[in-house]
């Protein structure tokens, strides 16, 4: 019998395929791509991290440790400020840290099994890193101006394009090699043949979707729909909420207040930085999302 999480993955993969066919058929321009990106990121991307307090509260309850909202927010904001200072003073290092954090975080969601141990942390991180570099590499012409704005011109546009082309070739080859290795050594990871086949098909479809979609649609789908909805579902299960409209409604209602704070914070960051050039606004929004990643990962990785 197919489990609910497996069904959800199937639905999302079909959604990605439909979105790809639709985008190819009507040839969306970049403006529409950006509208989709912002809509999805604000609808699901940011809110999926807005339940961190409830996740941490449940983890603390399981350990019989008290947790106050004030302490949680103070700790969360402190880590955001530290990471934000790294972005401000050393943007290249900030970007490198973000890619590493995102690699593990995305990889643990895509990976078919969860748990402790080196192999359940190392392999998902390698997989996530490969996938992130693949997305950037196959859309480097669009991504390069954003990356240049993120690192405040410490790496030139032409250099980013050259790096991106290398990223694409290397990540494509590594992704193929990784899938071939997993296809033969899956038993050493404790996987069943069904888990192996599901993961291989999932990866092939995801890679095809993000390759064929333009950058904003590709990242909007992968981060805003695939990653965020699967993360929401893991949180729903941890909170023992029903797998129906009632359960999802409770989940979203709890996320709303913290989502509003996150949205306001990101918009405030863009306003305070004061640059209204389109590329730099996008870069600043990306940095704002990235600053939320560190404390979010510290909480989310505790879900089992």
């Amino acid at each position: 019998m197919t489990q609910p999480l497996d069904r959800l993955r199937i639905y999302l993969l079909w959604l990605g395929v439909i979105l790809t066919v639709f985008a190819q058929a009507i040839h969306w321009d970049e403006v529409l791509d950006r509208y989709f990106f912002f809509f999805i990121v604000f609808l699901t991307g940011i809110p999926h991290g807005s339940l961190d307090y409830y996740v941490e509260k449940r983890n603390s309850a399981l350990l019989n440790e008290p947790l106050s909202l004030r302490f949680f927010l103070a700790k969360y904001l402190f880590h955001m400020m530290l990471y934000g200072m790294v972005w401000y003073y050393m943007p290249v290092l900030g970007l490198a840290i973000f890619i590493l954090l995102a690699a593990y975080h995305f990889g643990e969601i895509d990976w078919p099994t969860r748990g402790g141990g080196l192999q359940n942390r190392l392999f998902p991180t390698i997989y996530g890193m490969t996938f992130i570099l693949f997305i950037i590499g196959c859309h480097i012409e669009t991504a390069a101006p954003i990356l240049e704005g993120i690192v405040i011109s410490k790496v030139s546009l032409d250099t980013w394009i050259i790096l991106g082309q290398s990223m694409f070739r290397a990540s494509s080859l590594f992704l193929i090699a990784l899938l071939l290795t997993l296809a033969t050594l899956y038993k050493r990871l404790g996987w069943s043949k069904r888990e192996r086949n599901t993961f291989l098909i999932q990866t092939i479809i995801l890679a095809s979707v993000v390759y064929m979609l333009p950058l904003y649609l590709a990242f909007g789908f992968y981060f805003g729909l695939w990653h965020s909805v699967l993360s929401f579902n893991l949180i729903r299960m941890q909170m023992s909420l029903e797998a129906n409209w009632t359960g999802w409604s409770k989940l979203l209602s709890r996320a709303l207040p913290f989502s509003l704070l996150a949205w306001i914070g990101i918009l405030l960051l863009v306003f305070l930085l004061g640059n209204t050039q389109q590329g730099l606004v996008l870069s600043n929004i990306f940095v704002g999302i990235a600053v939320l990643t560190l404390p979010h990962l510290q909480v989310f990785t505790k879900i089992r």
Side-chain angles (χ1 to χ4, degrees):
M1 179 177 178
T2 303
Q3 297 299 314
L5 186 58
D6 293 334
R7 287 202 301 270
L8 182 58
R9 288 177 186 265
I10 292 171
Y11 296 153
L12 291 172
L13 289 173
W14 270 112
L15 182 59
V17 171
I18 292 170
L19 180 63
T20 302
V21 172
F22 184 70
Q24 293 288 329
I26 68 170
H27 302 289
W28 280 8
D29 61 23
E30 193 170 303
V31 174
L32 289 175
D33 294 343
R34 289 179 179 178
Y35 283 143
F36 174 85
F37 167 76
F38 286 122
F39 176 73
I40 292 298
V41 166
F42 276 78
L43 181 68
T44 59
I46 293 174
H48 95 272
S50 300
L51 291 159
D52 288 347
Y53 170 66
Y54 295 101
V55 173
E56 187 75 357
K57 185 177 181 180
R58 183 170 178 83
N59 290 333
S60 298
L62 293 174
L63 297 173
N64 292 319
E65 297 176 352
L67 178 70
S68 69
L69 177 59
R70 182 178 300 178
F71 174 78
F72 172 81
L73 290 177
K75 179 182 175 182
Y76 207 89
L77 292 172
F78 177 71
H79 289 154
M80 286 177 59
M81 289 175 60
L82 285 180
Y83 190 29
M85 291 176 64
V86 172
W87 272 101
Y88 186 80
Y89 291 106
M90 296 174 286
V92 176
L93 177 60
L95 179 61
I97 293 173
F98 171 72
I99 291 177
L100 183 61
L101 292 174
Y104 174 71
H105 189 39
F106 289 166
E108 70 172 343
I109 294 298
D110 291 356
W111 209 246
T113 56
R114 292 180 61 83
L118 180 62
Q119 70 180 28
N120 283 313
R121 296 184 182 276
L122 179 61
F123 285 111
T125 302
I126 294 173
Y127 174 82
M129 179 71 73
T130 303
F131 217 87
I132 290 172
L133 296 180
F134 177 79
I135 295 174
I136 295 172
C138 65
H139 298 295
I140 192 59
E141 296 289 341
T142 307
I146 301 173
L147 293 168
E148 185 187 29
I150 288 172
V151 300
I152 318 174
S153 301
K154 293 185 181 296
V155 181
S156 70
L157 186 67
D158 291 338
T159 302
W160 274 121
I161 292 176
I162 294 171
L163 287 172
Q165 292 169 345
S166 299
M167 284 181 201
F168 176 63
R169 289 191 292 268
S171 60
S172 298
L173 291 173
F174 197 84
L175 193 60
I176 293 170
L178 182 61
L179 293 181
L180 291 174
T181 302
L182 292 174
T184 55
L185 301 179
Y186 67 97
K187 290 184 179 179
R188 294 189 180 183
L189 295 173
W191 294 5
S192 66
K193 186 175 291 186
R194 179 175 178 272
E195 286 173 327
R196 179 202 65 180
N197 294 341
T198 300
F199 182 70
L200 294 179
I201 294 170
Q202 167 188 298
T203 301
I204 291 170
I205 295 175
L206 281 176
S208 300
V209 167
V210 299
Y211 175 79
M212 296 182 69
L213 288 174
L215 175 64
Y216 294 103
L217 286 181
F219 192 71
F221 167 74
Y222 183 68
F223 170 65
L225 290 176
W226 173 261
H227 172 78
S228 298
V229 173
L230 291 179
S231 298
F232 263 128
N233 200 52
L234 280 174
I235 297 170
R236 180 195 60 76
M237 290 189 293
Q238 196 216 33
M239 297 173 67
S240 302
L241 296 174
E242 305 91 330
N244 53 31
W245 174 248
T246 300
W248 281 94
S249 297
K250 292 178 182 177
L251 193 71
L252 295 175
S253 65
R254 293 178 185 180
L256 184 58
F258 295 101
S259 298
L260 290 173
L261 288 175
W263 291 329
I264 293 170
I266 291 175
L267 293 176
L268 185 61
L269 174 67
V270 173
F271 174 76
L272 290 175
L273 292 175
N275 200 315
T276 57
Q277 294 182 31
Q278 190 177 64
L280 291 178
V281 169
L282 289 170
S283 299
N284 293 337
I285 290 174
F286 178 86
V287 171
I289 295 173
V291 168
L292 292 168
T293 301
L294 177 61
H296 169 60
L297 179 59
Q298 291 174 320
V299 173
F300 193 87
T301 192
K302 299 174 184 178
I303 295 179
R304 290 289 179 262

